[in-house]
Amino acid sequence: MARKWLKQEKRTKEQLFDALVKNALGFVETSLDHVKERPKNSIVDLYTAIELFLKARLMAEHWTLMLSKPETAELQNLYVGDFLSVYLDDALKRINSILGEKIDLAASDNFKALGEHRNQIVHFAHSGHDDLAATQAGVIVEQWASWHYLYAMLTDTWKEVFEPYKIELQKLNHRMMRQRDFLSSRFTILKPKIEIELKRGKTIIACEHCELKSAVVNKVHPWGTDYSCLVCGVSDTAVVKADIKLPCPGCNEDVEFFDAKFTECPTCHFAFNTDALIDLCTAHIHEGDQWWEGGAEHIASCHECECPRPSVFYIDGLWSCVSCFDRGWQAVACERCGEFVTGDMERIKYFACHKCEDQVRQGIEAMVAAGAATEESQDAKEQP
């Protein structure tokens, strides 16, 4: 029998989940603390935090999912912390295949790249992190990009799971956003590269994340511009600004409300949250696009943020969500459930919308299982 060197206090699943998340938050904190003096440690700590948050998401679904071998799970071992948990790759696969939650490819690629750097630092001499000044600049860029994806997942995609830690996450986000000096230095270093891109005919715009004019335009759509930032490493879409104003309920002054940073009226300081924006648009926007028929539903449910209330209105020529401020998707009444939703039209037509996809998937699985059972029964009858 293997000897146990550490004696663990027995804890409930809820206490273990809380400890897991708080441990992850702590590693983000130390990652920020280490940037200036110990940048290599900063990468290791941030990667550890990412792994812990992914494990916490799996544990929130079912505790066995975060184990490296769920088939060997024993609840008593979990209570005392005696188990082996999954690594990054398996965690990403399980979130996608078992939970049915698709993590953005750019996010998963970023996490994996950070993991490779972490492994080089821990196990070998990382040749790219020898010069302290250069290392600091490089680490802050990696931190910025990784945190961009992670924070969006924790506060949007998995909002309900990590809601109790909202304040701690916001504090860490504010700390991350304060690291402007590093980004400015990085911008200065990369100016020659930006100039080369301009000479090649590329368009450079301001990145919506680091706010520096260092984003190379990849493709332009009616709803926005796809770009990749050379400074902070984030790839995103700069959504076309909505040219519309509506009267503030507090003072009746017109306000440019379609902005993720808009939280209050500049005149009377009336507070605007998602519900207030939905109420404002409901009172003033009563029509849809050219495919819309008078009297039909004109407020759609957003498949991107899945806001509990229908939050997508036809604003300045595009279906636009006042919860996540995404724009440009089509809106249609789902033929299966009747809900008016946004999303990929082919997926909605041939499979389901985000409102009914779980039900449709369960129905398909039940049909497949029933078919398999019938086939087995028929085979049994045919056997001599």
Side-chain angles (χ1 to χ4, degrees):
M1 182 177 177
R3 185 176 179 183
K4 303 298 181 186
W5 297 100
L6 294 176
K7 187 176 181 180
Q8 296 280 3
E9 179 184 348
K10 185 175 180 179
R11 291 181 287 183
T12 65
K13 286 179 282 188
E14 291 74 21
Q15 288 173 326
L16 282 167
F17 175 81
D18 181 63
L20 191 60
V21 176
K22 287 181 177 176
N23 202 16
L25 292 168
F27 273 108
V28 177
E29 191 83 41
T30 56
S31 176
L32 288 163
D33 292 341
H34 288 152
V35 169
K36 291 185 178 180
E37 304 299 330
R38 304 169 69 185
K40 291 182 181 180
N41 296 67
S42 183
I43 289 179
V44 175
D45 289 346
L46 183 60
Y47 177 77
T48 302
I50 291 170
E51 270 203 347
L52 290 173
F53 276 122
L54 294 179
K55 292 173 186 179
R57 175 64 192 98
L58 288 169
M59 187 178 185
E61 189 72 16
H62 197 277
W63 65 273
T64 59
L65 293 177
M66 73 165 182
L67 305 182
S68 60
K69 295 182 178 180
E71 66 275 11
T72 63
E74 290 187 21
L75 196 55
Q76 292 304 314
N77 289 342
L78 174 79
Y79 288 148
V80 295
D82 182 17
F83 58 86
L84 293 175
S85 57
V86 293
Y87 292 112
L88 179 75
D89 283 350
D90 284 338
L92 291 170
K93 289 175 184 176
R94 290 180 188 182
I95 289 170
N96 181 39
S97 61
I98 299 176
L99 273 60
E101 297 175 348
K102 187 176 181 181
I103 294 179
D104 185 79
L105 181 61
S108 61
D109 285 348
N110 174 273
F111 297 158
K112 290 175 182 177
L114 193 70
E116 290 179 4
H117 292 176
R118 176 263 181 199
N119 291 338
Q120 286 289 322
I121 291 168
V122 171
H123 301 296
F124 307 98
H126 197 310
S127 60
H129 293 286
D130 295 328
D131 182 87
L132 182 61
T135 299
Q136 288 175 354
V139 167
I140 194 60
V141 170
E142 291 191 44
Q143 268 193 342
W144 187 281
S146 297
W147 180 252
H148 160 73
Y149 295 119
L150 180 63
Y151 186 68
M153 289 160 60
L154 299 175
T155 59
D156 186 0
T157 310
W158 301 332
K159 182 179 179 180
E160 292 183 5
V161 176
F162 295 99
E163 181 70 25
Y165 309 93
K166 179 179 178 180
I167 294 175
E168 291 94 328
L169 289 168
Q170 287 178 339
K171 288 179 180 178
L172 288 173
N173 191 51
H174 290 155
R175 278 197 68 185
M176 194 70 73
M177 296 303 109
R178 285 203 300 264
Q179 300 190 80
R180 301 294 303 171
D181 290 343
F182 286 100
L183 292 169
S184 296
S185 298
R186 180 72 173 172
F187 178 73
T188 301
I189 293 169
L190 290 171
K191 262 190 174 180
K193 188 173 181 179
I194 294 171
E195 292 296 327
I196 290 172
E197 293 295 332
L198 285 169
K199 289 177 181 178
R200 288 176 176 172
K202 294 285 189 178
T203 301
I204 306 294
I205 62 173
C207 173
E208 293 187 338
H209 299 276
C210 68
E211 298 177 354
L212 296 170
K213 195 170 182 181
S214 53
V216 181
V217 171
N218 299 321
K219 194 172 183 179
V220 178
H221 311 277
W223 58 87
T225 302
D226 296 340
Y227 68 83
S228 297
C229 182
L230 295 174
V231 169
C232 70
V234 172
S235 295
D236 205 346
T237 300
V239 177
V240 171
K241 186 177 180 180
D243 184 19
I244 184 175
K245 294 182 180 180
L246 290 178
C248 169
C251 63
N252 211 39
E253 288 290 325
D254 285 347
V255 292
E256 292 184 5
F257 65 93
F258 197 83
D259 185 342
K261 298 177 182 178
F262 179 72
T263 58
E264 65 176 30
C265 172
T267 303
C268 70
H269 303 293
F270 177 89
F272 280 94
N273 55 20
T274 298
D275 285 327
L277 289 173
I278 292 174
D279 290 341
L280 177 67
C281 291
T282 300
H284 295 277
I285 300 174
H286 306 116
E287 297 180 352
D289 58 14
Q290 69 271 24
W291 304 104
W292 175 79
E293 296 180 1
E297 182 59 73
H298 68 284
I299 309 174
S301 293
C302 180
H303 75 292
E304 281 288 316
C305 65
E306 297 189 11
C307 178
R309 293 179 63 185
S311 55
V312 184
F313 298 80
Y314 194 65
I315 300 173
D316 190 26
L318 292 171
W319 288 104
S320 312
C321 178
V322 295
S323 173
C324 66
F325 300 94
D326 195 21
R327 306 187 74 196
W329 293 94
Q330 288 180 281
V332 67
C334 176
E335 294 182 2
R336 286 173 176 77
C337 65
E339 293 283 349
F340 190 52
V341 295
T342 62
D344 181 271
M345 294 299 102
E346 293 294 308
R347 180 177 177 81
I348 295 173
K349 181 178 178 180
Y350 295 108
F351 178 55
C353 73
H354 74 279
K355 289 278 190 176
C356 64
E357 65 177 344
D358 287 343
Q359 183 180 352
V360 171
R361 185 177 290 109
Q362 289 170 6
I364 293 172
E365 291 173 352
M367 287 175 60
V368 171
T374 301
E375 187 174 333
E376 288 179 5
S377 177
Q378 187 66 33
D379 289 343
K381 289 179 180 179
E382 293 176 357
Q383 288 180 2

